[in-house]
Amino acid sequence: MARLVCARCGREADRLIRGLCPSCFAEVYGVARIPGVLRGEVCRYCGSVRIAGRWVPAGSFEAAIDAVVRWQASKARPVEPLVEARLASWEALSKPDWRTRVALNLEGRTAEGVVVRARVPVVVQLKPSICPTCKTRVSGEYDTVLQLRGGDPGALERLAVEALTEAGVEGDTVDLIKSKDGVDVYFTHRGAASRLVRILKRRGLVETVGRAEEYVGLTSTGRRTRKTLIVRVRL
Ligand SMILES: [Zn+2]
Ligand SMILES: [Zn+2]
């Protein structure tokens, strides 16, 4: 039986692909054509990720990265003469975040069944966005949004819930949404938001209060505006 020798590393191999052993082939040519940066869009309110134009639930950076990586890998064409390429697994090389370094473990196959494996470093770049569901929800019936900032979102959420109860304005609250920046509380009327701010001030937690007003249209009672209060606290 003729011995096959890899033209690159000189090792013997059962099968060669373009004159190379499978591991040299993977090093030289790779397994699949996949971009170095994989992009995705993530709803900053609910964590859903947009895949092929559809929003699918994710809820964490890991889940969003997984969805983006799988989707991109499913579209990647194998490098010739491989006839098949798939994602065997992936692992994060940096802390899962909006921008994460990831190693893809790809596995390809020739028509003769020779398996080729490659570990491909890529960057997964997620763009903060808003999904249609959250868009509808946050643009619904509210006239004031209070953005609580200046601490860990989990701690801010607990503080907001506590202060809402103490102010007795839960009934005037449309929604409370935790994001990576903090917590946004949506109120049906500004009086409720002001009461919440007073409670926080009384506790000595408020550093600054920023205000912005936005014109959102006309109603029978006049000009309709929406107020944003940016409350920076010290926890
Ligand atoms: Zn070789
Ligand atoms: Zn959403």
Side-chain angles (χ1 to χ4, degrees), residues 16 27 48-49 71 82 91 108 116 154 179 183-184 186 202:
L16 296 179
E27 273 178 47
S48 295
V49 58
W71 161 241
L82 304 183
E91 64 213 81
V116 180
S179 70
V183 168
D184 294 352
Y186 293 84
R202 208 182 296 151

Side-chain angles (χ1 to χ4, degrees), residues 72-135:
Q72 294 282 357
S74 75
K75 290 194 303 180
R77 294 211 324 276
V79 168
E80 277 178 37
L82 304 183
V83 292
E84 193 190 305
R86 67 178 196 95
L87 177 76
S89 63
W90 65 271
E91 64 213 81
L93 303 174
S94 60
K95 185 175 164 285
D97 209 327
W98 294 101
R99 186 184 167 87
T100 312
R101 289 186 304 112
V102 164
L104 307 179
N105 296 311
L106 301 175
E107 202 176 276
R109 197 177 292 274
T110 65
E112 297 78 33
V114 181
V115 174
V116 180
R117 290 186 181 88
R119 188 176 158 88
V120 182
V122 296
V123 168
V124 177
Q125 180 86 56
L126 302 173
K127 193 177 110 188
S129 184
I130 181 164
C131 76
T133 311
C134 290
K135 200 170 197 165

